[in-house]
């Protein structure tokens, strides 16, 4: 059974840092494309960062480029999002997802989300 559990959110001052974790089970993170999304109150969910399965190529939204880093630890089967120089507009619920290949098809799974609040 595939499960994604995010953690690491919280309240941080502008300019601060947080590292989000997404612990995966039921599949291996190294074999799946995985992403972080976020959804601010009253807004649509938006893609923040993606890491591919093969090669580990990363892509970022323009709004976070140079401040956020997506990575994975294959030994811990965990996806991370390191967030630096945080801004109030980064406030949102952050979700990880995984595109898991199984029996000839891809299936998209989501975690439950973790709240990030950037405020002084």
């Amino acid at each position: 059974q595939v499960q994604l559990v995010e953690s690491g959110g919280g309240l941080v001052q502008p300019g601060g840092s947080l590292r989000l974790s997404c612990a995966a089970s039921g599949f291996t993170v190294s074999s799946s494309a995985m992403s972080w999304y976020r959804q601010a109150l009253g807004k649509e969910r938006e893609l923040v960062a993606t890491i591919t399965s093969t090669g580990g190529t990363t892509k970022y939204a323009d709004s976070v480029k140079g401040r956020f880093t997506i990575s994975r630890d294959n030994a811990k089967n965990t996806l991370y999002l390191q967030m630096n120089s945080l801004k109030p507009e980064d406030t949102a619920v952050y979700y990880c997802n995984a595109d898991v290949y199984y029996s000839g098809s891809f299936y998209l799974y989501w975690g439950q989300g973790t709240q990030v609040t950037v405020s002084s």
Side-chain angles (χ1 to χ4, degrees):
Q1 181 180 358
V2 172
Q3 193 171 15
L4 299 170
V5 179
E6 298 102 331
S7 62
L11 174 64
V12 63
Q13 291 187 343
S17 298
L18 281 175
R19 188 177 79 156
L20 305 184
S21 300
C22 174
S25 58
F27 73 103
T28 54
V29 297
S30 60
S31 63
S32 300
M34 296 187 72
S35 299
W36 287 97
Y37 281 74
R38 67 185 181 187
Q39 187 167 19
L41 196 62
K43 295 188 177 181
E44 293 186 354
R45 192 172 295 191
E46 63 172 350
L47 177 63
V48 175
T50 294
I51 185 166
T52 61
S53 54
T54 53
T57 301
T58 58
K59 291 184 180 180
Y60 299 90
D62 288 342
S63 59
V64 307
K65 207 170 290 183
R67 300 187 297 122
F68 290 12
T69 303
I70 188 172
S71 64
R72 62 186 177 212
D73 185 328
N74 295 337
K76 294 182 178 180
N77 212 37
T78 299
L79 179 75
Y80 298 102
L81 184 68
Q82 178 66 45
M83 305 185 295
N84 300 327
S85 302
L86 283 161
K87 304 175 181 180
E89 51 263 42
D90 295 318
T91 295
V93 178
Y94 284 71
Y95 302 89
C96 66
N97 79 7
D99 206 9
V100 181
Y101 182 81
Y102 180 76
S103 295
S105 298
F106 284 92
Y107 299 87
L108 192 63
Y109 294 91
W110 292 87
Q112 84 288 351
T114 185
Q115 175 72 46
V116 172
T117 303
V118 184
S119 175
S120 54

